[in-house]
């Protein structure tokens, strides 16, 4: 009968010892990792072309324009001025991630670049929407904008956007602008990581420690009740 209380006490000590260092031992959790080796196999991604008039959707990378930063040369996803029909009109082409579960401070990381061509300019917005909707109107949080009034990178560049959120949501890449001024962009290596709030981890550890100690106390009381009376 002494074995279980001993084990519980040992576990309680281990929990108590972990508390001071818990906030330093938390590792990011990868909740999405996509390299676009074959976009025909994308699962739960949404490709929505809201251009006026709509033209081509997002496509497999074209190594004839430029190669992927790593892996097979075509292993990235791309969009260009033909997002609007015949390259004339207003581009509004959306690439939306699957639903991800975020549990605190989170990061969206990806690589992107455009084709080197003077006289053209591409624009990409990075957005977030809580919940699971793919409706573009729900993506009200703008995390960043590439291009537009500044030059879009013409070599592969890593971009990192931060967000502190707890719950389900989706990220979106919105390629937009005047089709006659746009060119061609690629996106690769999309990774979303999330980290539990240190306070949450500590509360869980404290709760576990209290539960273990309570269980030990109950076992001790039960053993006392079983003692023979004089």
């Amino acid at each position: 009968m002494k074995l279980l209380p001993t084990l519980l006490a040992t576990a309680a000590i281990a929990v108590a010892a972990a508390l001071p260092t818990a906030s330093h031992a938390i590792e990011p959790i990868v909740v999405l990792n996509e390299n676009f080796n074959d976009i025909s196999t994308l699962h739960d991604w949404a490709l929505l072309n809201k251009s006026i008039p709509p033209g081509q959707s997002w496509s497999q990378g074209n190594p004839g324009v430029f190669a992927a930063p790593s892996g097979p040369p075509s292993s990235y996803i791309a969009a260009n001025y033909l997002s609007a029909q015949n390259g004339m009109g207003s581009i509004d082409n959306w690439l939306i991630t699957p639903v991800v579960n975020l549990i605190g401070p989170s990061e969206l990381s990806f690589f992107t670049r455009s084709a080197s061509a003077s006289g053209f300019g591409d624009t990409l917005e990075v957005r977030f929407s809580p919940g699971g909707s793919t409706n573009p109107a729900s993506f009200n949080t703008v995390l960043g904008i590439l291009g537009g009034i500044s030059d879009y990178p013409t070599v592969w560049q890593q971009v990192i956007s931060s967000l502190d959120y707890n719950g389900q949501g989706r990220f979106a890449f919105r390629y937009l602008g005047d089709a006659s001024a746009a060119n061609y962009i690629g996106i690769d290596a999309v990774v979303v990581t999330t980290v539990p709030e240190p306070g949450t981890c500590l509360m869980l550890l404290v709760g576990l420690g209290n539960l273990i100690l309570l269980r030990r106390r109950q076992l001790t009381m039960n053993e006392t009740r079983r003692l023979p009376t004089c």
Side-chain angles (χ1 to χ4, degrees):
M1 295 302 296
K2 295 181 179 180
L3 178 59
L4 184 56
T6 301
L7 291 176
L8 291 173
T10 302
I13 294 171
V15 169
L19 290 177
T21 59
S23 61
H24 301 287
I26 302 171
E27 293 294 333
I29 301 169
V30 177
V31 294
L32 178 65
N33 189 350
E34 180 56 59
N35 292 313
F36 303 109
N37 289 337
D38 182 357
I39 68 168
S40 68
T41 62
L42 290 179
H43 180 63
D44 287 341
W45 287 72
L47 284 63
L48 306 175
N49 194 344
K50 299 294 183 180
S51 304
I52 303 174
Q56 296 179 4
S57 182
W58 292 79
S59 61
Q60 192 72 51
N62 182 354
V65 180
F66 52 73
S70 61
S74 65
S75 61
Y76 64 94
I77 195 166
N80 62 19
Y81 66 97
L82 293 174
S83 295
Q85 191 174 40
N86 299 321
M88 300 297 294
S90 179
I91 296 174
D92 190 11
N93 206 352
W94 292 74
L95 172 65
I96 302 173
T97 72
V99 173
V100 291
N101 293 303
L102 306 180
I103 51 178
S106 305
E107 286 188 350
L108 165 69
S109 169
F110 64 99
F111 284 80
T112 189
R113 65 161 292 180
S114 68
S116 302
S118 60
F120 296 96
D122 294 302
T123 302
L124 181 73
E125 292 179 349
V126 182
R127 292 174 171 259
F128 177 78
S129 171
S133 175
T134 59
N135 184 346
S138 69
F139 289 84
N140 295 319
T141 301
V142 180
L143 300 175
I145 301 175
L146 286 82
I149 60 175
S150 59
D151 292 335
Y152 206 97
T154 54
V155 295
W156 285 107
Q157 178 177 310
Q158 186 180 25
V159 179
I160 299 176
S161 297
S162 299
L163 177 72
D164 193 347
Y165 179 75
N166 197 320
Q168 291 188 332
R170 292 180 186 259
F171 293 90
F173 303 95
R174 184 190 185 193
Y175 181 53
L176 71 161
D178 183 349
S180 64
N183 192 14
Y184 178 98
I185 68 164
I187 293 175
D188 196 13
V190 175
V191 177
V192 177
T193 58
T194 188
V195 179
E197 294 281 5
T200 302
C201 291
L202 291 175
M203 289 176 62
L204 290 173
L205 287 171
V206 170
L208 177 59
N210 289 337
L211 180 62
I212 291 172
L213 292 173
L214 177 60
R215 178 58 178 161
R216 185 188 181 193
R217 187 177 299 114
Q218 290 174 338
L219 288 171
T220 302
M221 291 175 62
N222 290 338
E223 289 179 355
T224 301
R225 292 192 188 100
R226 287 195 295 270
L227 290 175
T229 59
C230 296

